[in-house]
């Protein structure tokens, strides 16, 4: 690791941006939360478990976790055309599967749990912020979960492994350029439920990436727990 | 493919002993075959067979405007269509997640490998070449991503630029130079599938239907080092750091082995 390398905003390699977490922001929803990494702001709402329609989609052995992720049209520089894009459909699917491993879906046959994630303001790391918000929203909805899911992007600028990249860091061009590895893990166990990357990472570097993700997720977990406790104590 | 529980259980048992129904080892690929010039109307095309999986990829080139965030660069537009002819599991209609994902994963593997020099696709101010790369499985028997990535790489290498008149019209009957592609690198896709605690490569449709999770990597050689350029996990199961470490150990050897096998085609 080169000693001269300084991150654009002066953060330490493993330092995340300022985290904001708030639970219970959408009264209509069964559970809801906001999660922000610096200027990236995500909100999530959970509805359900409720009856899944159409009926033929129902599964008598389990509930279905249906996740929808999207950007609000004005959350990015070039207005995003409203409605699902190929990108948002892909992220919806993998984000749902990042959350699923902790949710006791078997407890609610024939139902659907709808998880809605929207990005208010995008400065990289939107899917990870969204997953953190959704994980809190699921807990807030009182859905049985064996753990929380925590998520962060670990990336690289040239050869330097860094946590929670900003858009500016994602656009880094020198040396090996920028890499971005979005990771989610089950908070208290060594299980990775989201692994999605682009860029340039050597196979032997992946171990260090996972280690940094684990450390950062521990911090995120504490913030999520604190926000959930605050919401409960206010009720 | 719908797999019965009894098949799945037996398959998991076999996998745990390092065996498969068709006699392959867990990380062993089926036979790979690659041919070119599937359609002479395309600017480039290739057909890849891995076992019974059969995929055609074609390239069409158009002149278009660059995107505002990359005014000097051409573009790659990668789409996959899962034709109902290729499997009883595919239905016509708007693209399902599997089709969207296939296009996007091939796109990412190629784009991030640096195989295409997008800056050399610029024609003039406000004019660039757009590469439309379309993926059509015609017989889907598992491992579509690895097969499609290989077919895409071959189709790009096979593609020739059509002639561009001075008034900007494309003459598709005259084809000259190749696309601006790197001579050193191209991506290889490896999709690892997990059933209980076993990890396999190149599943057929039956094995793929039984597996619970998949993690795909786009890998290329960069400055003599293998680099992972893209990664995506799909499925209900998680991966532990130990499993990922094991996969990282497999990647360089497997990519080396496949590159060697593909030399006669590419």
């Amino acid at each position: 690791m080169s000693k001269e390398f300084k991150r654009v905003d002066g953060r330490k390699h493993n330092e995340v941006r300022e985290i904001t977490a708030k639970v219970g922001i959408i009264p209509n929803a069964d559970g809801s939360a906001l999660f922000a990494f610096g200027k990236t702001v995500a909100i999530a709402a959970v509805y359900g478990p409720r009856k899944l329609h159409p009926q033929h989609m129902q599964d008598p052995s389990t509930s279905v976790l249906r996740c929808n992720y999207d950007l609000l049209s004005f959350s990015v520089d070039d207005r995003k055309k409203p409605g699902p894009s190929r990108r948002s459909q892909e992220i919806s699917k993998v984000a749902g599967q990042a959350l699923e491993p902790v949710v006791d879906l078997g407890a609610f046959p024939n139902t659907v749990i709808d998880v809605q994630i929207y990005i208010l303001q995008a400065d990289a790391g939107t899917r990870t912020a969204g997953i953190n918000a959704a994980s809190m929203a699921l807990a807030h909805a009182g859905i049985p979960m064996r753990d929380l899911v925590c998520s962060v992007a670990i990336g690289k600028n040239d050869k330097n492994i860094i946590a929670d990249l900003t858009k500016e860091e994602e656009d880094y061009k020198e040396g090996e350029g920028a890499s971005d590895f979005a990771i989610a893990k089950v908070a208290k166990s060594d299980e990775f439920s989201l692994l999605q990357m682009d860029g340039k990472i050597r196979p032997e570097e992946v171990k260090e990436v996972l280690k940094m993700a684990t450390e950062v997720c521990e911090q995120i977990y504490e913030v999520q727990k604190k926000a959930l406790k605050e919401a409960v104590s206010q009720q | 493919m719908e797999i019965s529980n009894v098949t799945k259980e037996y398959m998991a048992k076999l996998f745990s002993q390092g065996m498969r129904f068709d006699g392959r080892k867990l990380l062993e690929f089926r036979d790979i075959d690659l041919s070119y010039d599937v359609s002479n109307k395309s600017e480039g095309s290739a057909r890849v067979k891995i076992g019974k999986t059969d995929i055609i990829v074609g390239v069409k080139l158009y002149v278009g405007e660059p995107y505002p965030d990359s005014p000097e660069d051409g573009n790659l537009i990668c789409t996959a269509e899962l034709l109902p002819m290729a499997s009883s599991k595919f239905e016509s209609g708007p693209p399902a997640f599997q089709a969207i994902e296939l296009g996007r994963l091939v796109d990412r593997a190629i784009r991030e490998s640096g195989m295409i020099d997008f800056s050399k696709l610029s024609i003039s101010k406000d004019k660039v070449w757009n590469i439309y790369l379309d993926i059509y499985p015609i017989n889907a028997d598992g491992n579509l991503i690895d097969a499609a990535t290989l077919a895409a790489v071959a189709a790009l290498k096979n593609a020739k630029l059509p002639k561009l008149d001075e008034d900007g019209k494309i003459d598709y009957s005259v084809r000259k130079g190749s696309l601006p592609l790197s001579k050193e690198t191209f991506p290889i896709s490896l999709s690892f599938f997990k059933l209980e605690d076993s990890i396999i490569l190149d599943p057929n449709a039956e094995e793929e239907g039984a597996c619970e999770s998949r993690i795909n990597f786009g890998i290329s050689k960069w400055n003599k080092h293998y680099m992972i350029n893209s990664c995506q996990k799909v499925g209900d199961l998680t991966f532990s750091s130990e499993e990922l470490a094991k996969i990282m150990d497999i990647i360089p050897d497997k990519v080396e082995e496949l590159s060697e096998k593909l030399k006669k085609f590419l």
Side-chain angles (χ1 to χ4, degrees):
Chain A
M1 210 178 286
S2 70
K3 282 199 181 100
E4 314 88 76
F5 176 76
K6 278 248 157 59
R7 294 182 69 170
V8 188
D9 52 12
R11 277 185 286 155
K12 281 182 256 157
H13 286 43
N14 62 353
E15 188 179 346
V16 289
R17 290 171 280 180
E18 191 187 344
I19 298 176
T20 316
K22 203 167 180 311
V23 168
I25 54 158
I26 299 168
N28 271 352
D30 296 309
S32 61
L34 172 150
F35 190 97
F37 281 126
K39 291 180 192 145
T40 293
V41 186
I43 54 172
V46 168
Y47 285 88
R50 54 185 177 184
K51 243 210 172 97
L52 174 57
H53 295 291
Q55 208 168 1
H56 69 84
M57 304 266 294
Q58 291 180 5
D59 186 334
S61 67
T62 177
S63 178
V64 175
L65 191 143
R66 192 161 57 184
C67 182
N68 178 49
Y69 157 102
D70 212 342
L71 300 161
L72 296 189
S73 60
F74 44 77
S75 64
V76 279
D77 285 338
D78 295 319
R79 178 175 179 268
K80 191 234 162 221
K81 202 172 126 228
S85 63
R86 277 157 44 103
R87 172 183 179 273
S88 72
Q89 287 182 72
E90 183 184 64
I91 294 176
S92 296
K93 180 89 171 183
V94 295
Q97 290 177 338
L99 297 162
E100 247 181 59
V102 299
V103 183
D104 184 7
L105 294 173
F108 307 101
N110 294 319
T111 64
V112 62
I113 297 170
D114 275 304
V115 179
Q116 300 283 343
I117 301 170
Y118 284 95
I119 307 305
L120 305 187
Q121 193 174 285
D123 182 25
T126 61
R127 74 199 67 180
T128 56
I131 289 168
N132 288 330
S135 170
M136 291 191 291
L138 282 164
H140 182 227
I143 291 165
M145 295 160 78
R146 68 178 165 96
D147 209 340
L148 285 172
V149 170
C150 312
S151 184
V152 68
I154 304 294
K156 273 171 68 184
N157 273 182
D158 189 16
K159 289 184 169 57
N160 307 283
I161 298 178
I162 53 179
D164 185 31
L165 285 70
T166 60
K167 185 77 179 67
E168 200 180 346
E169 288 177 313
E170 272 190 358
D171 293 339
Y172 191 86
K173 291 276 186 306
E174 285 165 53
E176 291 180 10
S179 305
D180 182 38
F181 205 146
I183 293 170
K185 79 178 278 286
V186 180
K188 282 177 295 182
S189 86
D190 179 42
E191 294 173 83
F192 294 89
S193 60
L194 174 85
L195 294 151
Q196 212 184 15
M197 72 83 63
D198 51 61
K200 285 191 187 74
I201 285 183
R202 288 161 218 260
E204 58 270 25
E205 285 169 334
V206 169
K207 200 175 160 194
E208 198 182 333
V209 167
L210 296 177
K211 195 170 149 255
M212 191 182 280
T214 304
E215 286 165 16
V216 173
C217 283
E218 280 168 20
Q219 297 167 29
I220 293 169
Y221 179 58
E222 293 305 320
V223 178
Q224 287 174 312
K225 264 199 314 197
K226 188 161 163 267
L228 281 162
K229 277 182 189 156
E230 274 167 15
V232 174
S233 64
Q234 275 167 16
Q235 272 170 1
Chain B
M1 196 168 183
E2 301 298 341
I3 308 294
S4 69
N5 289 344
V6 63
T7 306
K8 190 168 158 174
E9 278 161 27
Y10 187 56
M11 198 183 279
K13 195 176 145 206
L14 271 190
F15 284 2
S16 69
Q17 296 163 356
M19 294 188 287
R20 292 163 87 156
F21 286 160
D22 58 8
R24 281 186 288 156
K25 298 197 191 84
L26 297 189
L27 303 176
E28 190 179 340
F29 267 68
R30 294 167 289 180
D31 286 338
I32 301 176
D33 189 36
L34 194 159
S35 55
Y36 290 98
D37 301 321
V38 184
S39 165
N40 64 6
K41 285 287 178 186
S42 71
E43 273 65 80
S45 56
R47 178 173 183 174
V48 163
K49 290 183 192 176
I50 301 185
K52 285 185 195 151
T53 286
D54 191 345
I55 295 192
I56 293 175
V57 170
V59 169
K60 288 297 292 176
L61 296 168
Y62 287 90
V63 175
E65 283 180 19
Y67 289 123
D69 60 349
S70 55
E72 318 264 288
D73 292 350
N75 300 301
L76 172 70
I77 301 101
C78 222
T79 325
E81 201 176 329
L82 300 181
L83 304 176
M85 77 183 298
S87 165
S88 61
K89 292 293 285 179
F90 298 163
E91 287 171 15
S92 36
F97 171 75
Q98 206 194 345
I100 296 172
E101 194 201 26
L102 179 57
R104 287 180 61 81
L105 287 179
V106 173
D107 183 298
R108 281 211 286 274
I110 290 174
R111 190 181 300 275
E112 301 291 332
S113 73
M115 178 191 179
I116 303 173
D117 186 347
F118 287 101
S119 66
K120 292 206 176 110
L121 290 170
S122 180
I123 300 165
S124 62
K125 196 175 172 288
D126 300 334
K127 256 197 203 170
V128 295
W129 283 109
N130 286 333
I131 305 173
Y132 285 83
L133 196 148
D134 293 312
I135 301 162
Y136 293 99
I138 54 170
N139 191 67
D141 188 25
N143 203 17
L144 297 185
I145 306 165
D146 295 359
T149 305
L150 175 55
V153 166
L156 287 168
K157 284 183 182 269
N158 181 244
K160 297 272 179 291
L161 283 158
K163 194 180 154 203
L164 198 59
D165 292 349
E166 276 168 27
D167 53 351
K169 266 190 81 181
I170 302 174
D171 182 358
Y172 285 107
S173 64
V174 185
R175 299 210 178 98
K176 24 177 210 161
S178 303
L179 288 171
L181 302 180
S182 159
K183 283 187 177 61
E184 283 91 48
T185 198
F186 64 88
I188 283 184
S189 165
L190 282 182
S191 305
F192 294 84
F193 289 76
K194 182 170 158 181
L195 175 59
E196 292 180 4
D197 292 327
S198 304
I199 285 171
I200 64 163
L201 279 171
D202 189 34
N204 60 28
E206 187 183 37
E207 292 170 328
E208 198 170 311
C211 286
E212 287 139 338
S213 280
R214 184 211 75 215
I215 187 162
N216 163 270
F217 296 93
I219 304 135
S220 66
K221 216 166 195 173
W222 197 79
N223 282 352
K224 299 193 177 101
H225 265 282
Y226 283 117
M227 287 281 188
I228 299 170
N229 298 122
S230 56
C231 160
Q232 178 142 302
K233 173 238 148 196
V234 160
D236 313 336
L237 290 189
T238 55
F239 286 85
S240 68
S241 44
E242 196 186 322
E243 282 169 331
L244 292 165
K246 197 176 120 194
I247 290 172
M248 291 309 128
D249 285 343
I250 298 166
I251 283 177
D253 295 346
K254 205 71 208 176
V255 174
E256 194 74 38
E257 179 196 318
L258 284 176
S259 314
E260 206 50 45
K261 251 188 212 170
L262 296 173
K263 258 188 188 154
K264 62 176 172 186
F265 299 121
L266 291 171

